[in-house]
Amino acid sequence: MVGMLAAMPPPAPRFTQPGDARFRARGDACPGALRLHRADDGALARVRVPGGVLSWEQADGLRELAGRLGDGELYLTSRGNVQLRGLGAECGSELASRMYEMGLLPSERHERVRNVVASPLSGLDGLGARDVRPWLTALDALVCGSGEAAGLSGRFLFALDDGRGDVDALGADVTLRARGDGDAELRVGALESVALVPADEAPGAALLAALAFLEAAGGTGGASGSRSSSGSGAWRVAELADGGASLFDAVVRRLRGAGRPVALGTVPVPDAAPPALGVVTGPGDTDALSVGLPLGRADAARWRALTDLARDHGTGELRLTPWRGVVVPGVRRDRAPGALDALEAAGLVTGDRSPWTGVGACVGRPGCAKSLADVQGDAASALPVAPRADALPVHWSGCERRCGHPRGEWVDVVAGPDGGYRISVVRDGGRTGEPGHVTGGPAALATAVATARTTRD
């Protein structure tokens, strides 16, 4: 086929606009570790990892389960969680038992609602206003201890930002952002209005906001699938009729009614800022290593390279990032460069000049029945030799759902029914111009994608 560009009509809008909440007749079917999803390549389990924090033993246990029960690979999500794919239909009981043993299922009722992202470099590089790990521990315990919180959908998201603005940019439903003055900003959805609360009260305020959302949404109930007859069926704050403005007012009233000191402010939502790849210099004589996984996937060898490094030369911890990367803290400074070279040799992305930098994709064929193409294979075939330093991130999707796409400014590559792809640039939640339609081999795709990634208005 000959590569060609032609104007195509824009895709149908997705379910993202405020007030676009549909009246849902069923509960949230988001997969978990106990409720598996049937995909074309077998069952899928999604393991929630609050803050992306795993011990090396937990990480190694996931590798062993993927190899014995699944397809042998681990898949990172845009929320820093882990998916196991290709699972057998009868593995549910064994999988659940092992998850309990590894400490990854502290509450059966809450396992799908423990959706928390956190600044992955918090406490490691001296740049944040505070280390959010205590917030993470406290919030997870509060969520798991609340019977009402079990009614959240598996899509509802908390974000804990240490002040640098990285996860504040991810569009969470409830965000806490640390401040240098000892307070925390509580944001609801994408509103610029924030409530200022004392830092030690912040996790409780976040849970209060989540429970207020459940009431505003009519008790949509992700775990049980129940909702009130008058409920909107909203699963996310953005689906509320006013985008969360009334919810924010209700949260402030509840906080003040509980006797908590609350001031109000206005803080714009920042642009996304994922952690840089490579050696992250920290205080003292240790550094952290920040690496990416090509397309968010790791086979046993790559995953073992990370867990062995964490066990033998780090603090024993891995931090999974919402950008499908991994941070290994506590590597002695004189060992860090050699350790980074070893991770690169294992096939991990260790710097911005890797052709994989900024490239993402959904699972595509053969794993997803809705996908129109093998998008991961096509993305690999169309990689540049080395991306420009200012290249936009690109996400390849097998259908209009665009699962796992980034936020902010990015290149949208969507498979079409004719075997080609529609390519456009997304800025501020909207498309710039008409999508170009590209058919042809890898060279035509690579040229079109590279051009879109370096387009600046």
Side-chain angles (χ1 to χ4, degrees):
M1 293 184 291
V2 179
M4 58 177 288
L5 286 172
M8 291 286 289
R14 299 193 72 217
F15 182 30
T16 55
Q17 298 301 314
D20 194 26
R22 300 169 183 171
F23 192 89
R24 295 184 170 106
R26 63 178 179 81
D28 174 23
C30 196
L34 298 179
R35 186 169 70 188
L36 307 186
H37 169 72
R38 172 61 61 183
D40 267 20
D41 57 349
L44 177 153
R46 183 173 299 158
V47 183
R48 267 59 174 192
V49 184
V53 178
L54 287 172
S55 69
W56 78 264
E57 293 97 338
Q58 289 172 327
D60 197 56
L62 290 172
R63 175 196 59 76
E64 186 269 334
L65 287 172
R68 186 161 52 82
L69 303 178
D71 65 6
E73 293 196 316
L74 294 152
Y75 301 76
L76 300 193
T77 75
S78 59
R79 295 180 167 194
N81 294 321
V82 179
Q83 291 187 163
L84 280 65
R85 301 188 66 97
L87 298 168
E90 307 301 323
C91 75
S93 296
E94 181 180 358
L95 182 66
S97 177
R98 287 287 292 122
M99 293 293 176
Y100 280 117
E101 292 172 4
M102 292 189 292
L104 292 171
L105 288 178
S107 169
E108 179 177 337
R109 293 187 62 205
H110 298 82
E111 66 101 0
R112 295 189 311 118
V113 305
R114 299 171 67 225
N115 293 303
V116 188
V117 294
S119 299
L121 296 181
S122 187
L124 300 180
D125 61 357
L127 295 183
R130 68 180 290 131
D131 187 347
V132 297
R133 287 290 299 279
W135 280 357
L136 177 61
T137 302
L139 178 60
D140 192 32
L142 287 171
V143 169
C144 290
S146 168
E148 293 174 270
L152 294 168
S153 84
R155 293 163 169 81
F156 192 91
L157 179 65
F158 296 93
L160 307 180
D161 193 298
D162 70 355
R164 72 186 70 212
D166 54 354
V167 297
D168 188 8
L170 297 181
D173 298 284
V174 175
T175 298
L176 296 176
R177 182 168 174 176
R179 293 163 54 99
D181 60 6
D183 283 343
E185 298 164 2
L186 173 67
R187 188 191 304 279
V188 174
L191 299 177
E192 294 193 349
S193 299
V194 297
L196 308 182
V197 298
D200 58 355
E201 299 281 343
L207 177 62
L208 180 149
L211 299 184
F213 164 78
L214 273 178
E215 184 173 312
T220 53
S224 64
S226 64
R227 54 168 173 76
S228 71
S229 60
S230 61
S232 68
W235 289 333
R236 304 287 312 272
V237 168
E239 297 170 7
L240 297 175
D242 58 2
S246 298
L247 172 61
F248 178 76
D249 294 339
V251 169
V252 172
R253 287 194 300 271
R254 288 192 180 197
L255 288 170
R256 288 175 172 167
R260 294 172 178 171
V262 179
L264 302 180
T266 301
V267 180
V269 178
D271 293 329
L277 301 177
V279 177
V280 179
T281 302
D285 59 356
T286 64
D287 295 328
L289 299 186
S290 173
V291 299
L293 302 183
L295 299 179
R297 297 171 60 169
D299 60 15
R302 289 175 179 173
W303 197 256
R304 186 180 285 112
L306 290 165
T307 56
D308 287 353
L309 175 63
R311 179 194 63 207
D312 298 336
H313 303 297
T315 61
E317 175 183 283
L318 295 92
R319 300 187 184 183
L320 315 182
T321 81
W323 299 275
R324 296 180 174 88
V326 181
V327 174
V328 181
V331 179
R332 208 172 69 193
R333 184 156 297 136
D334 61 345
R335 290 185 177 272
L340 191 68
D341 290 342
L343 293 180
E344 182 177 21
L348 297 162
V349 183
T350 60
D352 291 338
R353 300 305 295 164
S354 167
W356 287 108
T357 300
V359 179
C362 70
V363 69
R365 289 180 178 171
C368 177
K370 291 183 172 62
S371 180
L372 299 174
D374 174 12
V375 292
Q376 297 209 355
D378 290 341
S381 298
L383 283 178
V385 175
R388 275 177 34 174
D390 63 346
L392 294 174
V394 57
H395 187 77
W396 296 67
S397 302
C399 72
E400 298 291 349
R401 296 185 303 166
R402 296 172 173 83
C403 294
H405 72 76
R407 294 183 63 84
E409 189 176 19
W410 51 287
V411 174
D412 184 36
V413 183
V414 183
D418 61 351
Y421 284 88
R422 290 194 305 273
I423 301 176
S424 59
V425 176
V426 176
R427 291 188 177 94
D428 301 322
R431 235 159 282 285
T432 61
E434 297 290 332
H437 183 213
V438 181
T439 60
L445 273 174
T447 298
V449 171
T451 299
R453 293 186 71 184
T454 55
T455 297
R456 292 291 190 274
D457 285 345

